[in-house]
Amino acid sequence: MRSKTILILIIFSSFFFIYQKSGKDEISKRKGELEKLRKEIVEYEKKLGEAEKREKSTIDIIDRYDRKGILLNQLINKISDEVEYQESAAKTIEQELRLAELKLEYLKNDYAKYIISEYKRGKTRDLELIFSSNSLNQMYIRLEYLKRFTENRIRELKNIEAQKDTIDMKALALKERIEEKKLLLDDKKNEESNLKKLISRKKNALTLIKKDQQVLKKEIERRNRAAKDVERTISRLIEEEIKRREAEAAKKDKRETAKEKSPKSGFFLRKGKLIWPVQSGKVVNHFGNQVHPTLKTVTLNYGVDIAVPEGTSVRSVADGEVSVVYFVAGYGNVVIISHYDGFRTVYAHLSQILVKEGSIVREGQVIAKSGEALSGEILHFQIWRNRDQQDPEVWLSSK
């Protein structure tokens, strides 16, 4: 049992030094990513300030606000990830600290037993052991044994001191992780404040240009281009999925592949039962051809526009994976989620984005906050089945 305990402690000590090095490398890497993103935001803010001086309030300025919003969202999400990382690191160090303290306790108890034993038997017993030897060879062996026994105890004493240093080092590392987490939380709060200010700047700019009919005409053209951009993005995602499935099919059993391709599962069976992307709100622009109330122009709406107050929570209508988070002129900040059976949902005109590309989301999970467009405070929502646009109101549950 004693040898097993020592082995566990030795393995732990080795693991700690490996972990400590890799942990420092990971922390350095993550800090570098944060700093890179912060520099990008600072540079973009300079460009935005210069543009504001030249152009004051134009659609291009609105675009710049949205683009910076994407960067701020990325920074906030990355800071959130870093907070989680620091929490996890702190928990790991706490466990290591407890194990280190157990090791120290074991060493101290073991050494205490030796001291008590030495006190009870006294030094005269060692001399008796030497002089009672039957031969010089036996005397030599006993002397060597006592020498090694003493050296071993000295080593154990040094181990105790070293273990105390290890505990001090771990305690310091834990304190650093806790302080780093606190700084990150303050940093996140500051960046969230910056994002709110940016949203306010955008809102003021929108107020100034909403009544300009030339701007409205330009915005309609931009929305049409945005719809085509989303369509191209959907096509790209489909191509990528086809290639991925082909690669997976080559590795999997044919029966498994056939099962995966079943056309009536998951999203398909939710037709008419999907939750709405917002809990409340009124559809102000329906799917299909729409006549502009002022300009009387006809445009094709690929989805629906739902009027909701800016900052309303936007939910994923079904389980899926975030495929794209990006900016599209005319749609603002956009999130595209891939679901089952080749279905995808698109959420546009977002003021805040709470997920990142690659995130797995569940039905009802809040993925963003709604924003404002030239047409008002709305959420633009689309449903695609492969390359075909779907009428969202056919798929969403009746209110």
Side-chain angles (χ1 to χ4, degrees):
M1 183 68 185
R2 172 187 166 89
S3 60
K4 186 177 179 182
T5 305
I6 293 171
L7 179 61
I8 291 170
L9 292 173
I10 290 170
I11 292 171
F12 164 74
S13 299
S14 302
F15 169 77
F16 168 69
F17 289 112
I18 294 169
Y19 172 81
Q20 188 183 37
K21 184 182 184 303
S22 62
K24 285 181 179 178
D25 292 343
E26 180 65 16
I27 289 169
S28 178
K29 177 187 172 185
R30 296 172 76 94
K31 282 185 176 180
E33 290 173 354
L34 275 174
E35 286 308 311
K36 183 181 177 182
L37 194 49
R38 284 195 180 99
K39 286 179 182 177
E40 194 175 347
I41 289 172
V42 169
E43 287 300 314
Y44 201 86
E45 179 59 32
K46 287 179 183 177
K47 293 177 182 177
L48 183 56
E50 292 168 3
E52 283 177 326
K53 290 175 183 177
R54 291 194 311 267
E55 303 166 20
K56 295 301 178 185
S57 297
T58 67
I59 289 181
D60 293 333
I61 287 291
I62 303 302
D63 288 348
R64 290 178 184 274
Y65 288 143
D66 283 334
R67 284 194 180 98
K68 187 187 175 187
I70 281 280
L71 291 174
L72 283 172
N73 273 289
Q74 288 174 349
L75 179 58
I76 290 167
N77 289 339
K78 195 166 279 292
I79 291 172
S80 296
D81 288 345
E82 190 65 16
V83 169
E84 289 180 11
Y85 176 79
Q86 295 297 343
E87 285 177 346
S88 176
K91 286 179 183 177
T92 301
I93 293 171
E94 282 177 349
Q95 292 171 354
E96 291 170 352
L97 187 56
R98 283 195 292 271
L99 194 50
E101 287 169 345
L102 282 173
K103 181 179 178 182
L104 177 62
E105 191 65 27
Y106 171 82
L107 290 171
K108 288 168 99 175
N109 289 339
D110 196 46
Y111 194 75
K113 288 176 186 176
Y114 162 72
I115 295 298
I116 292 170
S117 174
E118 285 292 293
Y119 176 77
K120 284 181 178 178
R121 74 178 188 176
K123 287 291 181 183
T124 55
R125 188 167 178 181
D126 289 346
L127 292 172
E128 288 174 3
L129 183 67
I130 294 167
F131 290 117
S132 64
S133 301
N134 296 325
S135 65
L136 286 174
N137 186 52
Q138 190 180 56
M139 181 182 290
Y140 173 77
I141 292 171
R142 288 179 177 182
L143 280 169
E144 188 64 24
Y145 166 78
L146 289 173
K147 177 185 174 185
R148 290 185 182 182
F149 186 77
T150 303
E151 288 174 351
N152 185 52
R153 290 307 169 186
I154 291 171
R155 276 198 302 272
E156 286 190 8
L157 192 58
K158 287 181 179 179
N159 283 341
I160 290 173
E161 294 300 322
Q163 193 61 21
K164 285 180 180 177
D165 292 340
T166 299
I167 289 172
D168 290 341
M169 188 167 58
K170 286 179 186 293
L172 180 61
L174 179 60
K175 184 180 177 182
E176 287 175 353
R177 297 285 74 76
I178 292 170
E179 289 176 353
E180 186 71 21
K181 178 187 169 184
K182 183 178 180 299
L183 289 172
L184 285 165
L185 288 171
D186 290 341
D187 194 15
K188 182 183 177 184
K189 188 176 179 181
N190 183 53
E191 295 302 342
E192 286 172 340
S193 175
N194 289 338
L195 184 57
K196 286 180 181 178
K197 290 175 184 175
L198 182 72
I199 292 169
S200 178
R201 285 161 69 185
K202 176 188 170 182
K203 194 176 185 69
N204 292 336
L206 280 169
T207 302
L208 293 173
I209 64 176
K210 274 182 180 179
K211 295 178 181 179
D212 189 332
Q213 288 210 353
Q214 291 302 315
V215 171
L216 292 177
K217 287 179 181 178
K218 188 176 180 181
E219 178 64 5
I220 290 171
E221 293 171 3
R222 280 156 45 90
R223 279 181 66 93
N224 288 335
R225 288 197 298 270
K228 293 298 181 184
D229 187 288
V230 169
E231 187 173 9
R232 286 191 296 272
T233 301
I234 295 290
S235 294
R236 176 178 62 79
L237 292 173
I238 291 170
E239 293 300 324
E240 289 174 357
E241 184 178 358
I242 289 171
K243 289 179 182 178
R244 186 170 62 251
R245 282 185 176 274
E246 286 175 349
E248 289 173 356
K251 298 177 183 177
K252 291 184 178 180
D253 184 88
K254 290 181 180 179
R255 286 173 298 177
E256 291 181 4
T257 305
K259 188 178 179 181
E260 285 178 5
K261 290 182 178 179
S262 173
K264 293 187 178 181
S265 62
F267 201 100
F268 185 88
L269 295 178
R270 305 298 304 281
K271 191 170 185 176
K273 301 174 185 177
L274 290 174
I275 66 168
W276 283 68
V278 286
Q279 285 189 329
S280 61
K282 180 183 178 182
V283 176
V284 291
N285 286 310
H286 298 273
F287 177 80
N289 290 332
Q290 299 293 307
V291 180
H292 194 278
T294 306
L295 303 175
K296 305 304 179 184
T297 54
V298 178
T299 55
L300 176 62
N301 190 4
Y302 281 15
V304 292
D305 295 325
I306 307 170
V308 286
E310 183 177 1
T312 297
S313 293
V314 178
R315 310 176 297 179
S316 175
V317 299
D319 294 353
E321 180 179 348
V322 179
S323 295
V324 179
V325 174
Y326 73 142
F327 166 84
V328 183
Y331 277 172
N333 296 327
V334 176
V335 170
I336 299 178
I337 298 177
S338 295
H339 306 281
Y340 305 105
D341 312 327
F343 285 91
R344 288 175 178 80
T345 50
V346 180
Y347 311 77
H349 295 305
L350 306 173
S351 60
Q352 287 180 267
I353 297 171
L354 308 176
V355 290
K356 58 186 178 182
E357 291 182 4
S359 297
I360 301 299
V361 293
R362 300 300 178 193
E363 178 185 328
Q365 181 178 332
V366 176
I367 59 168
K369 299 289 184 180
S370 64
E372 185 176 9
L374 272 174
S375 54
E377 296 180 342
I378 62 168
L379 168 71
H380 180 68
F381 175 68
Q382 300 177 8
I383 296 178
W384 291 72
R385 186 180 185 186
N386 296 319
R387 291 182 174 84
D388 298 325
Q389 307 97 6
Q390 305 287 307
D391 183 351
E393 291 182 83
V394 173
W395 288 84
L396 297 168
S397 61
S398 56
K399 288 189 176 181

